Amino acid sequence: MTHLPDGRFVDDEPYDPQQSILELERRDLDAPNWLLVWRKFRTHKLGLVSGVFLLLSYLLLPFMGFIAPYSPNYRNADHLYAPPQSVRWVHEGEFIGPFIYPITAEADLETFQWKFIPDESNPLRIPFLCKGDSYKLFGLIESETHLFCAPEGATLFLWGSDRLGRDVFSRILYGAQLSLTVGLIGISVSFFLGILFGSIAGYLGGKTDWLINRMIEILRSLPELPLWLALSAAVPSNWSPVAVFFIISVILGILDWPGLARSVRAKFLSLREEEYVRAAEMMGASSARVIRRHLLPNFMSHLIASATLSIPAMILGETALSFLGLGLRAPAVSWGVMLNDAQNLASIELYPWTAIPMLPIVVVVLAFNFLGDGLRDSLDPYS
Amino acid sequence: MAILRYSFYRFGTMLLTLLVVSVLVFVIINLPPGDYLSNQINELKASGQSAGVAKAEFLRKEYALDRALWEQYMIWMGFMPGPHGFSGMIQGNFGWSFEFDRPVSDIVGDSLWLTVLVNMAAVVFVYATALPLGVIAAAKARTWADYTSAFVGYLGLATPNFLLALILYYYGRKYLDIPIGGLMDPAFEGQPMSWAKIQSVLVHLIVPTIVIGTAGASAMMQRLRANMLDELGKPYVETAIAKGMSPSRMLAKYPLRVAFNPFVADIGNLLPSMVSGSVLVSVVMGLQTIGPTLLTALKTQDMFLSGFVLMFVALLTLIGTMISDILLVMLDPRIRYEGRDA
């Protein structure tokens, strides 16, 4: 550091303007691919928010039993179709923290409906970290502690209760476990089949290619839902809910692969002629190795983006199947199963809260769409 | 002439596809263990009613359900003589519905053309909304018009069809007095065609059309917008603007025509999802289309009925795709030669 007579400080290090520019560019060019993708993805705000939201939702899935105040099939026979109870903070000008007014059911003999009347003189605080129904954390550890539960002697139906007096809020949380994983299992099946058939067709070409291509065309030209219906109608009714769940996700995936296989095939056709593939072949790599090590990594990211975009179709598919009574069945809880209750206009008009499960469906499907769009836009960082 | 030859070629491939589809459908309807009649026989035997057993056994022979599976298929399709000679799908005999104890053709009857009608109305709706909205969204990219249409489009994609149906019915009834459920006034059911009946059908069609078409329209709108944006960046657009063309005329005359091709080709993707949607929506809305029939048939394992419905639905999409392919060749002369070589 030199102190100049006019009062300025100047660095003594030799300075080469050319070099500093090069260094900056070098750092950008040498950055690993994922970093570039991440930088670009970060600018896609909607995609970023959706991604964080989905990540959180999936991370919370094992803890749903802890968050939900009730167990999914707990029936409160005195409170059928109870409307949502709102959480309040201030009672008669006095702050007492989150509390509810207990509700009691009264029969209205004119309309023959249950009416629920809140007792506004009796605020009950919502207890936190309290004992309730037992559940299994991660499906393994037995526990009875809930994040919050109903006050002693009262009910806590944040989003109302359904036809059998079960808590809609708790059921939505438990339903997320099945509704969200159905898409993941389905997409894994479709991913596996799509890559398998797509890469075989694209790499081998000739007769195999022709055959697989026709198969893809035929499957793509058929309407999915009737086939889903037909396939799930074939699931024996005496299977356990878990088995039904798996087979339904597999069914959803089985009809989805042709789209993926087609894009895999198209990529293979163009990449097959590249020099590095020929080099690998000349060094004696087997077809399987060339496909796995040299071709697939090239467009894996692209595939992931398109998979993200097709998960919503599966979530909606599960909902539709369960809604029609051919998907998941009663003891299992999913959003589609819950909506089965909201099937007719009368219940929407009288008990609008039974249709609340549509909100998480819409939100999750939107989030997957935005995330997929964001990924797709940012996956080619050099463009 | 080339177009005629292409049409024949395309028709041939459609028939072949249909043949493969028929095998698929037959396998699917035979997936559940047993068949309607053998299940019924077991049930009757279990409850000790032997009178019905003889009839069920007789029906089993009648419909060749006691033969090997491949023979059943051949008889069902009409490739092989059954107990009553050649009498299968290709001879126009669609089989017997055990659940309703009537011929399948009797049961589906009216619902066939209503299914076609509903789906055609939905396709028209998709094009009528997606076209202007997509063009506007592209022309006014990154303005409120673009964002609103994108938002509505995303919402349309994300809302399950049946919910949309319930919501539209509820508010349609409340504010616009749109009739709920069904495709015509109950008074007109089974009546011959009349002007009043057609009017009733049209009013009833409004909600189903919107519901079935929304998802397809939003997807198509987004694609059209992307295509248009690609075209709008090209030099010829700049030339047109530079020579002083009015923007709307320029849009319609150049970029739209280029962006339009994938739009027509897309009907191949659009139709299957649309027919899917219409099956679901029909069940929820109680439309007299083929959807509810399929659901009952599948639930009761009424295999000939469900087999026919599945075949019909597949045929509907295949014909639609074929028409769109031929249209595309007429619109875009570059495709014809590729199509014939492949």
Side-chain angles (χ1 to χ4, degrees), chain B residues 90-206:
Chain B
I90 49 174
Q91 283 88 9
N93 177 6
F94 303 136
W96 187 266
S97 160
F98 302 113
E99 179 69 14
F100 298 96
D101 222 7
R102 278 194 298 160
V104 167
S105 49
D106 262 22
I107 296 168
V108 288
D110 240 11
S111 62
L112 288 187
W113 75 263
L114 283 174
T115 311
V116 177
L117 180 75
V118 168
N119 281 303
M120 279 191 8
V123 171
V124 171
F125 171 79
V126 166
Y127 279 85
T129 52
L131 190 61
L133 283 180
V135 173
I136 290 173
K140 306 244 179 269
R142 290 172 214 297
T143 62
W144 63 269
D146 184 19
Y147 293 130
T148 334
S149 68
F151 180 73
V152 172
Y154 270 121
L155 221 55
L157 269 183
T159 321
N161 272 343
F162 52 93
L163 281 171
L164 201 61
L166 291 175
I167 294 167
L168 280 183
Y169 265 158
Y170 183 67
Y171 288 106
R173 178 83 207 168
K174 219 167 169 184
Y175 299 112
L176 299 172
D177 206 28
I178 290 173
I180 292 178
L183 268 182
M184 60 186 88
D185 212 64
F188 292 113
E189 244 164 271
Q191 296 287 313
M193 257 312 140
S194 66
W195 180 234
K197 179 170 175 175
I198 293 175
Q199 262 183 327
S200 162
V201 170
L202 283 182
V203 174
H204 280 79
L205 258 181
I206 297 174

Side-chain angles (χ1 to χ4, degrees), chain A residues 72-84:
Chain A
N73 288 316
Y74 171 78
R75 294 179 52 181
N76 194 324
D78 297 333
H79 293 80
L80 310 184
Y81 283 129

Side-chain angles (χ1 to χ4, degrees), chain A residues 245-259:
Chain A
F245 166 71
F246 273 107
I247 200 81
I248 294 281
S249 354
V250 171
I251 287 173
L252 290 174
I254 274 179
L255 292 179
D256 186 74
W257 66 266

Side-chain angles (χ1 to χ4, degrees), chain A residues 51-299:
Chain A
V52 171
F53 167 74
L54 286 173
L55 192 69
L56 270 180
S57 320
Y58 276 98
L59 285 180
L60 279 178
L61 282 187
F63 303 101
M64 285 310 181
F66 173 67
I67 303 170
Y70 290 100
S71 66
N73 288 316
Y74 171 78
R75 294 179 52 181
N76 194 324
D78 297 333
H79 293 80
L80 310 184
Y81 283 129
Q85 289 171 272
S86 44
V87 174
R88 289 155 205 272
W89 298 82
V90 180
H91 174 66
E92 287 170 4
E94 193 187 339
F95 178 84
I96 21 183
F99 72 91
I100 48 145
Y101 293 124
I103 49 172
T104 41
E106 263 174 42
D108 184 335
L109 290 181
E110 261 169 46
T111 58
F112 291 102
Q113 275 177 9
W114 288 104
K115 274 179 123 180
F116 291 92
I117 298 156
D119 175 7
E120 299 205 350
S121 61
N122 182 19
L124 290 173
R125 279 194 62 164
I126 299 172
F128 285 89
L129 295 176
C130 43
K131 296 275 174 211
D133 302 323
S134 86
Y135 61 92
K136 281 188 178 149
L137 212 58
F138 294 102
L140 295 171
I141 311 157
E142 193 122 0
S143 166
E144 284 184 350
T145 313
H146 291 253
L147 181 61
F148 60 96
C149 32
E152 198 72 33
T155 55
L156 180 62
F157 296 131
L158 290 181
W159 287 347
S161 72
D162 67 358
R163 182 168 59 85
L164 295 172
R166 297 170 298 194
D167 180 28
V168 172
F169 178 72
S170 305
R171 279 170 71 76
I172 284 180
L173 293 184
Y174 277 99
Q177 291 181 326
L178 291 193
S179 289
L180 290 181
T181 36
V182 144
L184 286 194
I185 298 179
I187 206 69
S188 329
V189 172
S190 126
F191 221 70
F192 174 75
L193 290 175
I195 290 178
L196 183 73
F197 285 114
S199 52
I200 289 176
Y203 189 74
L204 295 182
K207 281 221 175 65
T208 342
D209 183 29
W210 186 87
L211 197 72
I212 292 179
N213 232 345
R214 291 294 91 73
M215 212 154 80
I216 292 175
E217 267 170 27
I218 289 172
L219 280 178
R220 271 177 75 92
S221 68
L222 292 178
E224 279 185 331
L225 190 80
L227 290 184
W228 276 342
L229 283 176
L231 283 174
S232 37
V235 178
S237 49
N238 53 357
W239 283 18
S240 75
V242 180
V244 171
F245 166 71
F246 273 107
I247 200 81
I248 294 281
S249 354
V250 171
I251 287 173
L252 290 174
I254 274 179
L255 292 179
D256 186 74
W257 66 266
L260 204 64
R262 220 157 100 135
S263 54
V264 173
R265 175 180 168 271
K267 284 275 179 193
F268 263 102
L269 285 182
S270 60
L271 288 178
R272 186 170 68 176
E273 310 299 333
E274 297 276 330
E275 278 89 358
Y276 63 83
V277 174
R278 202 173 314 147
E281 275 169 355
M282 281 180 158
M283 282 187 267
S286 66
S287 313
R289 188 182 160 84
V290 173
I291 291 178
R292 264 202 336 270
R293 304 281 308 184
H294 298 275
L295 291 177
L296 273 185
N298 255 309
F299 53 94

Side-chain angles (χ1 to χ4, degrees), chain B residues 266-289:
Chain B
D266 223 31
I267 203 170
N269 290 327
L270 181 72
L271 254 171
S273 67
M274 205 102 100
V275 172
S276 280
S278 78
V279 168
L280 182 67
V281 169
S282 302
V283 174
V284 181
M285 302 177 121
L287 309 183
Q288 296 93 329
T289 66

Side-chain angles (χ1 to χ4, degrees), chain A residues 324-336:
Chain A
L324 291 176
L326 282 172
L328 306 178
R329 299 187 190 118
V333 188
S334 81
W335 295 336

